[in-house]
Amino acid sequence: MQLRYTFRIYPTPGQRQALSRAFGCARVVFNDALRARHNARAAGEPYVSDAALSRSLTAAKKTSERAWLGEVSAVVLQQALADLNTAYRNFFASVSGKRKGRKLSPPRCRSRKDHRQAIRFTANARFAITDDGRLRLPKIGDVAVRWSRKLPSVPSSVAIIRDAAGRYFASFVVRTDSEPLPVAEGEVGIDLGLVTFAVMSDGRVIESPKFFRRAERRLRKAQQALSRKRKGSKNRAKGRLRVAWAHAKVADTRRDWAHKHSTIIIRENQAVYVEDLCIQGLARTRLAKSVHDAGWGMFTRLLEEKAARYGRHFARVGRFFPSSQLCSVCGVIDGPKPLSVRTWTCRCGAVHDRDRNAADNILAAGQAERRNACGVWVSPEPVPAPCDEAGTHRQTTTV
C-alpha cells in the first residue's frame, strides 16, 4: 500500500523565492493547457491529447513569452499537466457514472491569489535526502526538514506545499506493506453525535472536543481586526496571516485528536462498525457549524484507512437503518423520536439510552452484514489461542 508522510520544512528566503517561481510556473502551465482544450472545444476541433499538450509545453519553453519556464524543473511542469489530465479523467468518470460520490465540475483555472500552492517532484527529478537530513530539490537547493520519524522506504515522489498560513511542508509518498496487529477479541459499534462525539456499544463515551467552538471568540477577534485593515496594505497581509494561523491551529488540533482516538479504537477491536451518515445533507441545516466542527468524515475515513493497514474489519451500516428507533432487546421499531428525547422505554419494558441503544443496533447490523446466508463469517473468524497446562492463553499466529 501507499502511504503519505508529511513533514514541516524551513526554506531560506532565497529558496522561498525559488519555490514561489515554481508555484507560478506550474500554475501557468496548468492554465495554458486548460485554455488550449477549451479553445479546441469552442472551435469544434478534436480533443487535445496529453501528448499534444506535452509537445506544446516543450515548444512554449523555446519562445520568448514563455522562456522563463526553463528556470524551474521540467518535472514540476510535467506534473502540472498530469494534474490536469487527472482532473479531466475524474470529471469524465463522474459524468458517465463510473465515479461514486457527488458529481464533479470541469477543471477550472488556478489563481495566483490562492493562498495554498503545491508542486510535485517525482523520481525522475532526482530529488534526494542528504546525509545531514536535508531535502535536495532540483533548482531549489537543500531545504531543512524537521523529521519526526523515519521513512519506511524510499519515497517515489514528494510534494512541496505552502498553506494559507505561510507554512511549508514536504509530503512524501512511500510504498509499504500492511502491518497486521495481533488478533483482538472485541468488536464495537459506534454512534456519532454532536453532544457526545461518539458512544460505543461497549459502554465507552468520547466527549465532543468542539475545537472550533472553543476558539470561536479568538477567530472572531482576528477576523474583525482583519476587516479594519486597508486592502492592499502590509498590515492587511499580516492580519490575514493571523487569521490563517488561528484556523490552522484549530484544524491541526482536530486532526491530531482524530488520529489518536481512531488509533486506539482500531488497536482494541477486531471489527469496527459505524453509521453511513449523510454529512453533506446535515451540513446544510442549522447544525452546519457543529457538524463541520465535529469532523465525522475525517474520523471515519481514518478508521477505514487504519483498519485496512492493520488488518481490521471496517464496515458502514446503511444511513436509512433505524438505529435510534429499533429496540436492541426485542427488535421492535418504536418510531421516530425528536433529538430532545435522550432516553425512552420500549413496550417490552427495556429502558434505553438513545445513543447507547443506537450503538448496539449498529454493532448487530454490522455483524449481520458480515455473515453470509449460511451464517458464516465472510472473512475467517479469529482463531482462539490454545491454552497451556496452566490454563493461560499462548500467542499464536493465524493465517
Side-chain angles (χ1 to χ4, degrees):
M1 65 174 59
Q2 286 187 338
L3 298 178
R4 185 175 292 276
Y5 287 76
T6 303
F7 303 93
R8 183 81 178 271
I9 61 175
Y10 294 88
T12 63
Q15 292 171 348
R16 292 180 185 177
Q17 293 182 0
L19 288 173
S20 298
R21 189 181 306 112
F23 293 146
C25 291
R27 182 177 63 250
V28 169
V29 170
F30 184 94
N31 293 342
D32 287 348
L34 180 61
R35 193 176 300 109
R37 284 183 170 169
H38 282 177
N39 295 338
R41 180 182 179 183
E45 299 177 356
Y47 181 79
V48 182
S49 63
D50 301 345
L53 291 178
S54 182
R55 290 193 296 267
S56 300
L57 172 60
T58 304
K61 294 169 67 175
K62 299 178 181 179
T63 62
S64 58
E65 293 81 5
R66 292 287 188 265
W68 38 266
L69 292 177
E71 298 178 2
V72 301
S73 173
V75 174
V76 171
L77 307 182
Q78 291 294 335
Q79 290 303 307
L81 294 179
D83 291 341
L84 177 64
N85 299 333
T86 301
Y88 265 109
R89 284 195 296 269
N90 293 337
F91 167 67
F92 293 145
S94 178
V95 172
S96 61
K98 297 180 181 179
R99 180 185 174 91
K100 297 181 180 180
R102 61 179 180 179
K103 298 297 181 181
L104 298 181
S105 59
R108 296 177 295 179
C109 289
R110 294 177 176 176
S111 174
R112 65 182 180 86
K113 296 183 180 180
D114 291 339
H115 299 299
R116 186 186 185 278
Q117 300 288 339
I119 55 175
R120 185 168 61 254
F121 296 88
T122 60
N124 295 333
R126 297 184 179 180
F127 68 91
I129 300 175
T130 61
D131 296 336
D132 57 351
R134 292 178 176 268
L135 176 61
R136 180 166 296 168
L137 300 174
K139 296 190 177 182
I140 293 177
D142 295 349
V143 184
V145 184
R146 296 296 180 266
W147 301 98
S148 58
R149 65 183 69 182
K150 294 183 179 180
L151 294 176
S153 61
V154 179
S156 60
S157 66
V158 58
I160 307 300
I161 304 168
R162 184 183 65 193
D163 65 358
R167 302 178 300 178
Y168 291 83
F169 298 91
S171 182
F172 298 91
V173 175
V174 298
R175 182 175 296 275
T176 61
D177 298 330
S178 58
E179 306 171 7
L181 293 173
V183 177
E185 297 180 357
E187 296 187 2
V188 67
I190 303 177
D191 178 67
L192 300 175
L194 295 178
V195 179
T196 56
F197 179 81
V199 176
M200 305 185 190
S201 57
D202 57 5
R204 289 182 296 174
V205 177
I206 301 178
E207 297 296 334
S208 181
K210 299 181 180 179
F211 296 109
F212 184 83
R213 293 287 188 180
R214 290 189 299 177
E216 195 169 12
R217 182 173 179 272
R218 183 173 65 254
L219 294 172
R220 181 171 61 251
K221 286 185 172 295
Q223 189 65 48
Q224 289 175 349
L226 174 64
S227 65
R228 300 188 186 99
K229 303 296 189 297
R230 182 170 55 86
K231 292 185 178 181
S233 63
K234 292 184 178 180
N235 285 334
R236 186 175 180 86
K238 295 177 182 178
R240 187 199 64 78
L241 284 178
R242 293 191 187 97
V243 174
W245 267 99
H247 281 282
K249 184 177 181 180
V250 173
D252 292 345
T253 308
R254 182 188 295 114
R255 189 182 304 108
D256 178 73
W257 183 90
H259 269 289
K260 292 178 179 178
H261 282 77
S262 60
T263 300
I264 293 174
I265 294 174
I266 291 298
R267 285 179 177 175
E268 297 179 351
N269 299 278
Q270 186 65 26
V272 179
Y273 308 100
V274 298
E275 190 175 6
D276 186 17
L277 298 173
C278 182
I279 300 177
Q280 295 180 0
L282 293 172
R284 291 192 292 266
T285 64
R286 60 185 179 87
L287 301 174
K289 185 182 294 187
S290 298
V291 170
H292 286 301
D293 189 17
W296 292 333
M298 177 178 59
F299 183 75
T300 55
R301 175 179 57 82
L302 291 177
L303 285 175
E304 185 174 8
E305 293 175 355
K306 293 180 181 181
R309 179 180 179 184
Y310 296 116
R312 302 306 199 204
H313 179 76
F314 176 86
R316 299 175 187 267
V317 177
R319 63 183 58 175
F320 298 107
F321 176 71
S323 60
S324 298
Q325 308 174 22
L326 183 67
C327 175
S328 59
V329 177
C330 64
V332 174
I333 298 180
D334 198 53
K337 304 170 185 61
L339 293 176
S340 59
V341 177
R342 308 313 303 172
T343 59
W344 56 282
T345 304
C346 180
R347 65 188 67 176
C348 67
V351 180
H352 295 293
D353 177 80
R354 180 192 184 100
D355 298 332
R356 175 63 186 276
N357 177 71
D360 293 338
N361 290 328
I362 291 173
L363 174 63
Q367 291 177 338
E369 292 180 359
R370 194 179 174 191
R371 295 178 182 269
N372 58 17
C374 299
V376 182
W377 291 103
V378 176
S379 57
E381 285 187 309
V383 179
C387 296
D388 54 16
E389 296 179 355
T392 58
H393 289 280
R394 300 193 306 269
Q395 184 68 33
T396 60
T397 304
T398 58
V399 180

